[in-house]
Amino acid sequence: MKHPANDIMGVNLRRRTRYTGVFLILLTAFCVIVVLNINIGSVPIPISKIAGILFTGEGDARQVAIIWKIRLPRIAMAAILGGALSLSGFLLQTFFLNPLAGPFVLGISSGAKMVVALTMIFFLGRFGMVSSWALILAALMGSLVSVGFILLLSRRLKHMAILLVGGIMIGYICSAVTDFIIAFADDADIVNLHGWSLGSFSGTSWEGVAVAGAVVGITSALVFFLSKPIGAYQLGEAYAQSMGVNIRAFRIALIVLSSLLSACVTAFAGPISFVGIAVPHLVKHSLNTSKPLIAIPATVLGGAVFCMACDLIARTAFAPTELSISTVTSVFGAPVVIAMMMKRHRER
Amino acid sequence: MADFYFQTKDLSVGYDGKPLIRDISIGIEKGEIVTLIGPNGSGKSTILKSIARQLKTIAGTVLIEKNDLKSLSYRETAQKMAVVLTERIKAELMTCWDVAATGRYPYTGRLGILTREDKAKVAAALEAVHALDLAQRDFAKASDGQRQRVLLARAICQEPDIIVLDEPTSFLDIRHKLELLSILRSMAKENRITVIMSLHEIDLAKKISDKIMCVKGETIGQYGTPEEVFREANIRSLYEIKQGFFDPVFGSIELSKPEGEAKVLVISACGTGIPVYRQLQKENVPFCAGILYTNDIDYRVARLLAAEVIEEKPFCAISDAAFEREAYWIQRAERIIDAGVEIGNGNQRMRDLLILAEQSGKLQRGWCR
C-alpha cells in the first residue's frame, strides 16, 4: 500500500538527489572556470602545463609568475567577493522578504562606495597609502548608513516597490556625492578612484585576498550558523518570534552581516551590480528550495562561479581593453531580474 | 481569582505605549476554548498579539501556570505557545511540508536539522489537519483553506499547551470552517490544549467556545460562558446593530426585516411559516405573523423577521387580546397566507379566525407565489 509517509521519504530522496546534482554542477563549473581563467589571457598558458605549475611550482618562470602573482589572486578574489555579494543579496532578500532586494539595488553598495572614496582621498592625500582594513571599515560604515536610511524608510512605508525606489534614490544620492568628491580630488587620486569606482578585480594582491578571505570566510560561517533562524524568518517576523527567535538581535545580526559582506566587496572591487539579486534567485530555483541550510552554501558557490566567469569575460572579451566587472554582471544579471519581475507579476 | 492555568491580571494592551484596552483580567482552564468576539478594529488582534508576546504589554501580567510570561525565554515560550496569524506569509519555494516543519523549531538543534522523530511529528500534524496529501505542494500555490490547515499543522508541530489563533476561519469556505473548528475542538478536548482565538462568526463562536470575551471600547465588555454572554441585547450593543438579527438560542443570523407596515398576514405553526417568512423577506414585503405560541419554532424566526408577531403563551388558550389583534390584521392585510396550522384544544379559536380569513376573500392556502 502506498502510504503518504513513505511518499514523503521518497520525495526527500528526490530532493536530496536534486541538491547533490546542483552542487556537483556548481563545483564542476567552478573548476572549469578556474582552469579557463588561468588558461586565457594576453599570455595564454596551455592547460597541459597548468597542473604542473600549480602543484609542483615548476615550469616556465614567466608563466609561473603570471599564474601566481596575477591570475590566481585575481581568481581567488573574484571567487571570494562573488560569493560574498550573492550571500549578501540572499540575506537582504530574507530580511526584506523581497526577492528583488540586493546590496546594489538598495543603495548599500553606493553608500559604501561614497565613504570608501572619502577615505581613499583622505588617506592617500595624507599618507600616500591606505590599508585594506581601513577600506573595509569605511565601506562598512557607508553600508550601514545606507541600510539605516532604508530601514527608516521601510518602517514608514510598508510597500516594497517604494522601498526599492527609495534604495535606488539613495544610490543616486551617494553616487552624486562620490562624483562631487572625485571632482575635487587630486589627479593622482582620481586615476586610482576611477578604476575602482567602476568595479574591477584587476591588480589584486595576495594580501588583499587574505584579508577578504578572512572577513568573508568568517562572516559566511556566521551566516551559515544562522540558517535556523533565517529559515524561521522566511515565514515572516511574527511567526519567527513565535518560534522563539529573538527578533531584535536577529535583525541586527542579519543587517550587520549582510552589510559586512557587501562592504568587503565594495572595499576591494568597487560596486558590482546585479550579482546579489540574480545569483540567489537562480540558485534557489535550481535547487527548488529556499531552505537556508542548503541555499546558503549553494549561493556562495554560485556567486563565486558567476563572478569568476564574468571577470573572465571582462578581461578577455575585448582584450587588451578590460571591461569593468559591473558591465559584464549587468549584461547577464539584469535580464534575470527582469525575468523574475515578469514571473512574479504573472503569478499574482 | 482562583488559580487558573492561564491568567491575565489587569492587562493593558495597545501600541506605542498607548493603551487601547485596559484592565483585562481573565482566567482560563487547561483545555478550554476561549473566543474573542467584537466588531472590526475593536482590538481582538491586539489582545491576541499581546498574549502571544508579539506586542509589548503596557501594564499588567500574563501568567501561564503562575509563571509570568515575560520571565520565560523565547524558546520556552515557543514550547508552550503556538500561533496562527492573519498575516499572509510569503513562503518562497517552500512546500507545505516545509512550512509545517518550521513548527519543530523550538526543539531542533543549532542548525535546525529534523530528526526522524521530528519528521514523524510533522507527518502526524499534517495528518491531523487532513493535509498530508498536500505535503509536497508549493505553499504559495495552495488555496486559502489549505494554507490555513497547513499553518494549523505548523502550530500543532510546535506541541504547544496553548494555541493562539487570530481569525483562523477568515478566507475559509463553510466546509473548511467547520473542519477547522472541529480539529480545534478535538485538540482542546482530547489533547487538553488551551485554545484562545478570535472569530467573526458569532454563531460558530457560540457553538465551539467554553468562554467568550466581548471586545469593544476601552475595557473588555463581558467575559463568561456563551450562555451568559450571548443574550440578544449584548450582541446587539457589542456590534451596534439596530435591528434584531441574532437568535441566541440557535445562534442563527438573519438579515434585517423588511421596513414598513405589514402587508401580509402569515398564519402558521410548527415550522410551516419559516419558508414563507424567508420568501417574503427576500421579496422585501413586510408581514405580520400569528398567532404563534412563544415556544413555536416559527416564533423564533418570526420575531426577527416579522414586522409584528401576534403571540400567545405556550399551552394556553388563545386570549381575547391576541384574537382581536389577529382579527384586526385579517381585515387590514392585503393578503393572508395560511401555511398550515394544526388545531387542537388549546388553539381552537384559530378555527374561527381561519373562517374570518376565508370570508375576507384574501386567503391563500399553503405557500405558492
Side-chain angles (χ1 to χ4, degrees):
Chain A
M1 195 188 92
K2 195 179 159 193
H3 190 264
N6 292 329
D7 208 36
I8 284 161
M9 297 305 157
V11 171
N12 277 344
L13 190 69
R14 238 179 301 152
R15 272 183 160 190
R16 224 167 279 167
T17 320
R18 182 162 186 164
Y19 301 157
T20 317
V22 171
F23 272 100
L24 280 179
I25 291 169
L26 284 174
L27 282 173
T28 316
F30 188 92
C31 296
V32 169
I33 289 170
V34 167
V35 171
L36 283 178
N37 246 322
I38 297 175
N39 167 241
I40 306 172
S42 50
V43 180
I45 297 169
I47 291 178
S48 54
K49 291 197 180 158
I50 290 174
I53 294 171
L54 280 184
F55 297 116
T56 61
E58 282 163 23
D60 178 64
R62 209 171 67 116
Q63 287 181 350
V64 172
I66 288 174
I67 290 186
W68 281 104
K69 295 230 167 89
I70 299 172
R71 293 201 186 152
L72 265 187
R74 182 167 177 157
I75 293 166
M77 195 60 127
I80 291 166
L81 298 187
L85 207 48
S86 60
L87 184 55
S88 169
F90 177 84
L91 294 180
L92 290 168
Q93 286 145 25
T94 306
F95 187 89
F96 290 107
L97 293 175
N98 183 340
L100 291 177
F104 197 78
V105 177
L106 292 176
I108 298 169
S109 298
S110 307
K113 178 173 126 175
M114 180 179 74
V115 182
V116 170
L118 273 171
T119 314
M120 268 189 167
I121 288 173
F122 178 78
F123 274 91
L124 289 175
R126 291 278 171 92
F127 314 109
M129 58 153 292
V130 54
S131 83
S132 307
W133 293 108
L135 288 183
I136 292 182
L137 200 66
L140 181 62
M141 303 302 274
S143 302
L144 289 175
V145 168
S146 289
V147 172
F149 273 114
I150 296 286
L151 288 180
L152 276 180
L153 210 64
S154 72
R155 192 155 295 177
R156 299 249 167 136
L157 307 163
K158 294 284 174 205
H159 200 278
M160 277 303 164
I162 295 175
L163 184 73
L164 293 183
V165 173
I168 292 165
M169 292 308 128
I170 290 170
Y172 275 114
I173 293 170
C174 293
S175 295
V177 174
T178 313
D179 290 345
F180 188 77
I181 299 164
I182 291 175
F184 287 94
D186 288 336
D187 289 343
D189 300 339
I190 294 172
V191 178
N192 221 325
L193 270 174
H194 195 67
W196 168 83
S197 75
L198 290 175
S200 169
F201 292 118
S202 73
T204 303
S205 67
W206 278 116
E207 186 243 338
V209 171
V211 174
V215 174
V216 173
I218 292 169
T219 314
S220 305
L222 289 175
V223 170
F224 185 74
F225 281 105
L226 284 181
S227 290
K228 189 180 162 184
I230 289 172
Y233 199 84
Q234 283 169 337
L235 291 191
E237 196 179 306
Y239 276 111
Q241 175 154 25
S242 82
M243 291 176 224
V245 179
N246 182 342
I247 286 297
R248 186 184 288 253
F250 175 73
R251 280 175 69 105
I252 293 171
L254 212 58
I255 277 298
V256 170
L257 290 176
S258 62
S259 300
L260 195 58
L261 287 169
S262 70
C264 197
V265 176
T266 311
F268 285 105
I272 300 175
S273 47
F274 292 109
V275 180
I277 305 178
V279 175
H281 174 77
L282 292 174
V283 167
K284 279 185 277 185
H285 279 264
S286 43
L287 289 169
N288 199 23
T289 185
S290 55
K291 209 179 277 174
L293 211 55
I294 317 289
I296 287 172
T299 302
V300 173
L301 196 55
V305 170
F306 186 79
C307 266
M308 287 193 303
C310 287
D311 188 43
L312 180 66
I313 294 167
R315 233 161 31 82
T316 57
F318 297 100
T321 311
E322 196 168 298
L323 299 171
S324 81
I325 182 75
S326 264
T327 312
V328 184
T329 55
S330 303
V331 167
F332 291 103
V336 175
V337 175
I338 292 170
M340 271 168 73
M341 290 204 294
M342 306 238 301
K343 187 160 173 280
R344 265 166 74 79
H345 198 73
R346 241 181 314 160
E347 275 171 9
R348 257 176 216 156
Chain B
M1 208 184 272
D3 287 333
F4 283 101
Y5 171 70
F6 178 93
Q7 240 177 311
T8 66
K9 282 187 177 166
D10 307 318
L11 182 69
S12 291
V13 301
Y15 294 92
D16 302 321
K18 283 173 213 142
L20 193 68
I21 300 156
R22 273 186 254 262
D23 303 327
I24 306 166
S25 296
I26 58 164
I28 303 172
E29 306 277 8
K30 201 167 169 51
E32 275 189 328
I33 297 179
V34 177
T35 304
L36 279 64
I37 61 168
N40 283 334
S42 58
K44 299 187 293 289
S45 296
T46 315
I47 295 176
L48 291 176
K49 279 184 192 161
S50 305
I51 287 173
R53 285 183 94 180
Q54 306 268 342
L55 255 185
K56 264 199 185 135
T57 56
I58 289 169
T61 45
V62 180
L63 304 173
I64 297 181
E65 292 172 317
K66 290 184 222 162
N67 294 315
D68 189 342
L69 196 59
K70 276 185 217 156
S71 69
L72 299 177
S73 72
Y74 283 110
R75 192 184 173 106
E76 284 169 330
T77 311
Q79 290 177 351
K80 283 199 186 301
M81 194 189 289
V83 297
V84 175
L85 304 164
T86 41
E87 65 180 73
R88 294 207 158 204
I89 65 175
K90 300 183 199 168
E92 194 196 4
L93 294 175
M94 286 174 98
T95 60
C96 293
W97 169 275
D98 292 337
V99 172
T102 60
R104 295 304 301 160
Y105 187 97
Y107 303 96
T108 53
R110 184 84 208 118
L111 289 175
I113 295 166
L114 298 178
T115 61
R116 187 173 284 273
E117 200 183 325
D118 286 322
K119 284 178 187 162
K121 281 178 176 162
V122 177
L126 282 169
E127 192 144 36
V129 301
H130 319 299
L132 197 53
D133 53 329
L134 299 176
Q136 303 315 325
R137 173 123 5 135
D138 185 348
F139 185 79
K141 288 179 186 141
S143 74
D144 289 321
Q146 292 168 338
R147 287 187 202 194
Q148 205 65 6
R149 277 186 285 157
V150 172
L151 287 173
L152 183 60
R154 197 203 69 80
I156 295 171
C157 281
Q158 218 170 312
E159 300 187 312
D161 299 331
I162 299 176
I163 179 163
V164 175
L165 306 98
D166 194 358
E167 288 172 18
T169 53
S170 339
F171 307 123
L172 298 191
D173 60 30
I174 184 69
R175 176 191 144 197
H176 290 113
K177 267 179 203 182
L178 297 176
E179 246 178 51
L180 189 95
L181 292 179
S182 70
I183 293 165
L184 287 179
R185 186 179 54 201
S186 72
M187 281 169 63
K189 301 308 162 194
E190 283 159 30
N191 308 332
R192 309 270 296 145
I193 295 173
T194 306
V195 176
I196 306 174
M197 65 178 160
S198 60
L199 282 182
H200 267 310
E201 299 86 351
I202 48 174
D203 48 339
L204 296 177
K206 177 176 198 282
K207 287 161 193 166
I208 190 166
S209 316
D210 297 303
K211 298 259 179 66
I212 299 278
M213 187 202 283
C214 298
V215 183
K216 191 195 171 195
E218 290 218 325
T219 56
I220 58 166
Q222 287 213 321
Y223 177 68
T225 62
E227 289 68 28
E228 288 162 357
V229 173
F230 276 91
R231 296 177 194 278
E232 202 178 325
N234 281 341
I235 298 302
R236 273 197 220 178
S237 82
L238 179 65
Y239 287 95
E240 291 178 15
I241 300 164
K242 305 279 181 320
Q243 287 167 323
F245 86 117
F246 180 74
D247 184 333
V249 173
F250 297 112
S252 66
I253 299 165
E254 300 291 350
L255 298 176
S256 64
K257 57 177 87 167
E259 303 246 347
E261 199 192 51
K263 294 203 171 79
V264 178
L265 172 66
V266 183
I267 302 169
S268 71
C270 307
T272 56
I274 294 173
V276 182
Y277 303 154
R278 297 219 191 282
Q279 187 59 37
L280 288 170
Q281 190 197 27
K282 273 183 256 178
E283 289 167 8
N284 206 25
V285 177
F287 62 91
C288 174
I291 298 170
L292 289 171
Y293 285 110
T294 52
N295 65 344
D296 194 311
I297 186 166
D298 278 350
Y299 173 79
R300 298 220 66 92
V301 181
R303 51 187 275 286
L304 296 173
L305 301 183
E308 185 179 333
V309 184
I310 304 160
E311 55 181 70
E312 190 51 78
K313 281 188 230 102
F315 314 117
C316 294
I318 289 169
S319 65
D320 288 343
F323 186 89
E324 272 158 36
R325 192 71 189 153
E326 183 81 358
Y328 166 80
W329 276 110
I330 287 171
Q331 242 186 3
R332 190 168 172 86
E334 292 167 16
R335 274 197 292 162
I336 302 166
I337 298 168
D338 175 9
V341 183
E342 196 76 25
I343 293 172
N345 279 337
N347 66 347
Q348 42 180 306
R349 292 179 84 181
M350 275 311 286
R351 200 170 286 134
D352 301 337
L353 287 165
L354 282 171
I355 291 164
L356 258 179
E358 187 77 65
Q359 285 165 354
S360 73
K362 294 180 283 187
L363 185 67
Q364 203 180 308
R365 277 190 207 282
W367 172 245
C368 56
R369 292 211 193 190

